Amino acid sequence: MELLIIFLSASIVNNFVLSYFLGICPFIGVSNKISSAFSMGLATTFVMVLSATVSWLLFNMILVPYNLEFLQIPSFILVIASLVQFVEMVIKKVSQPIYRALGIFLPLITTNCAILGLALLISMREYSFLESIFFALGAGIGFIFALMIMAGIREELELTDVPKPFRGAPITLITAGLLALAFMGFAGMI
Amino acid sequence: MKKEKTLLQEFVKGIDEINPVMKQALGLCPTLAVTVSAINGIAMALATTFVLMFSSLMISIIRKLIPSQVRIASYIVIIATFVTIADLVMKAKFPAMSKALGPFVPLIVVNCLILGRAEAFASKNNPLKALFDALGNGAGFLIVLFIMGSIRELFGSRTILGFHILPHSFEPMLIMILPAGAFITLGLLMGFKNAYTERVKRKEREDIVKNYRAVSKLESTNQGL
């Protein structure tokens, strides 16, 4: 039950993009088409779960026992960067179609603050191993949700007559604001 | 004399011409997240400027020693070092502020603004120029965060920097301090900035055309004489 609440809270109620403001760059940048939004979301979720696992192990097995918590930031970012590189190589070797679909998004993920933010939030909230995995999964699914809804709206937005100064990033941000307002409706759920 | 002027230009361009938030849409996450009040915005911008300044300086000094294949990784390590310093100093000296900013101080590492300046400017220019470029971009970031924080604080809790501005009869707009308000405020701010820039540019164009017409008229009358 506890795990389900963590999962739902991360995916819907406290959506990473719309209420924690993590991962805004890809949210604004890649949410043009539904198909690429989905690929990006999938790649991000995959890396999120993987990096949450590895960084939890790193933090609780190495940094805490040796009193090295101050190395948290550099070690997490290095782990994430090398993990992304590794995942890219594995995917390239294993499956060409998946690589073509996700490949271009992988380098972008390193500087996605949602990944590092997730790892930091896990160590801040002192989640257990299982809890962190569910948290990462929920955050990833929530990211896919937000990205795909936004992409759907933006595909329609292309056809509308937006005042010229507001085209591009400004109208996207305002739309995201309205979306965040809608997601607040879930706040009473948990 | 000439050199000083270029340094000044490096500084000024970060505030308006290539403003990190308004023009390049870099560093949006902290801009949206921490600007619940003006003071939070200022603290965040100062921490970011600190990191930006020292990492730009460092990267510019050792730019010729870094092989280009591993440059991104080395930049990230340098940035992470200064972020750790900023984070620990803030935790020790301003625990309340550190708590209010939450994970966003450590997240300066992945702020694309810093990596962007490192890649686009500091890795190609001498340390002095890089320092001024970093200061200018930091100042631009500070201004945007302060404006965002002030607007949201003013309408969300009737104050700016803790001073009461609006009367008590004004009902605070809760939406402004919620996430939705952040998105909408920044969207409107960017839109108005674009509209203003557009107007200034159009005016300049019209002035040029007007001058040109006046000159050609003068020339034709001269020829007539």
Side-chain angles (χ1 to χ4, degrees):
Chain A
M1 198 56 213
E2 195 91 319
L3 295 175
L4 192 69
I5 287 179
I6 288 178
F7 176 79
L8 279 180
S9 144
S11 60
I12 298 177
V13 182
N14 290 318
N15 189 291
F16 259 48
V17 178
L18 296 170
S19 73
Y20 285 168
F21 305 105
L22 293 170
I24 301 286
C25 295
F27 180 63
I28 303 288
V30 199
S31 61
N32 287 324
K33 282 200 315 219
I34 292 185
S35 56
S36 62
F38 184 68
S39 305
M40 178 71 183
L42 217 57
T44 309
T45 309
F46 185 59
V47 175
M48 266 180 172
V49 175
L50 220 57
S51 70
T53 316
V54 176
S55 61
W56 190 90
L57 290 173
L58 177 78
F59 189 70
N60 288 290
M61 298 290 154
I62 298 174
L63 295 186
V64 172
Y66 293 100
N67 284 322
L68 292 171
E69 284 101 332
F70 63 92
L71 283 179
Q72 191 191 23
I73 302 168
S75 58
F76 277 13
I77 191 77
L78 281 180
V79 161
I80 290 167
S82 44
L83 206 64
V84 170
Q85 198 81 58
F86 180 68
V87 167
E88 194 183 350
M89 286 186 322
V90 168
I91 290 182
K92 198 173 182 181
K93 203 87 188 159
V94 171
S95 157
Q96 277 296 321
I98 298 180
Y99 180 72
R100 269 198 295 276
L102 303 184
I104 43 165
F105 299 113
L106 284 171
L108 285 176
I109 290 176
T110 313
T111 51
N112 182 343
C113 41
I115 311 275
L116 184 63
L118 180 88
L120 290 169
L121 279 175
I122 284 174
S123 69
M124 220 178 240
R125 295 181 181 175
E126 295 171 351
Y127 279 148
S128 73
F129 187 65
L130 212 56
E131 281 172 337
S132 345
I133 291 182
F134 272 82
F135 186 55
L137 213 59
I141 304 248
F143 190 69
I144 297 184
F145 268 157
L147 222 62
M148 287 195 61
I149 295 173
M150 196 64 201
I153 296 175
R154 280 183 79 176
E155 282 189 356
E156 295 293 314
L157 214 57
E158 296 273 294
L159 307 171
T160 53
D161 186 21
V162 180
K164 204 176 159 211
F166 280 88
R167 273 178 214 166
I171 192 72
T172 312
L173 282 168
I174 294 172
T175 316
L178 298 177
L179 209 56
L181 209 56
F183 263 70
M184 267 173 52
F186 293 115
M189 218 168 77
I190 289 175
Chain B
M1 188 66 196
K2 202 183 165 198
K3 204 178 172 192
E4 236 124 65
K5 200 182 168 201
T6 49
L7 283 182
L8 190 67
Q9 279 167 347
E10 298 297 357
F11 178 74
V12 170
K13 77 167 194 278
I15 294 176
D16 182 42
E17 198 185 326
I18 57 156
N19 188 299
V21 180
M22 290 300 187
K23 281 289 153 61
Q24 308 181 78
L26 294 177
L28 290 181
C29 303
T31 311
L32 292 165
V34 302
T35 50
V36 178
S37 65
I39 190 77
N40 280 7
I42 293 176
M44 183 70 206
L46 287 181
T48 310
T49 310
F50 165 81
V51 176
L52 180 61
M53 218 167 72
F54 283 100
S55 51
S56 279
L57 195 64
M58 191 71 149
I59 288 165
S60 176
I61 290 172
I62 60 168
R63 69 185 185 280
K64 283 171 189 148
L65 300 175
I66 306 175
S68 68
Q69 293 93 332
V70 294
R71 64 181 195 287
I72 303 282
S74 1
Y75 296 164
I76 288 183
V77 174
I78 291 171
I79 295 168
T81 311
F82 288 109
V83 171
T84 309
I85 295 173
D87 187 35
L88 291 179
V89 168
M90 266 183 114
K91 264 188 195 141
K93 294 280 172 195
F94 313 100
M97 184 52 76
S98 167
K99 214 166 200 143
L101 296 179
F104 282 93
V105 177
L107 279 178
I108 296 176
V109 182
V110 281
N111 189 333
C112 12
L113 158 65
I114 296 176
L115 204 58
R117 285 337 281 168
E119 173 73 13
F121 199 90
S123 60
K124 292 171 194 139
N125 289 284
N126 65 41
L128 201 59
K129 268 191 177 177
L131 185 65
F132 273 81
D133 175 74
L135 275 174
N137 274 281
F141 194 58
L142 177 72
I143 291 171
V144 175
L145 255 66
F146 177 66
I147 294 174
M148 277 281 290
S150 304
I151 294 175
R152 287 182 68 193
E153 199 185 336
L154 180 64
F155 292 112
S157 39
R158 292 189 294 233
T159 57
I160 291 181
L161 291 172
F163 296 109
H164 279 273
I165 307 283
L166 291 174
H168 278 281
S169 53
F170 179 82
E171 190 67 38
M173 296 151 80
L174 189 59
I175 182 178
M176 293 304 276
I177 49 171
L178 289 173
F183 282 114
I184 295 173
T185 313
L186 186 62
L188 289 175
L189 217 57
M190 272 173 135
F192 288 134
K193 172 88 172 85
N194 282 350
Y196 176 73
T197 321
E198 195 91 334
R199 231 183 95 179
V200 170
K201 262 192 199 154
R202 201 169 54 218
K203 208 152 187 197
E204 270 173 13
R205 260 203 310 273
E206 275 166 8
D207 279 353
I208 291 170
V209 172
K210 221 187 262 166
N211 272 339
Y212 180 74
R213 284 210 181 117
V215 169
S216 59
K217 212 177 208 172
L218 206 71
E219 273 177 359
S220 62
T221 47
N222 280 349
Q223 272 172 8
L225 285 169

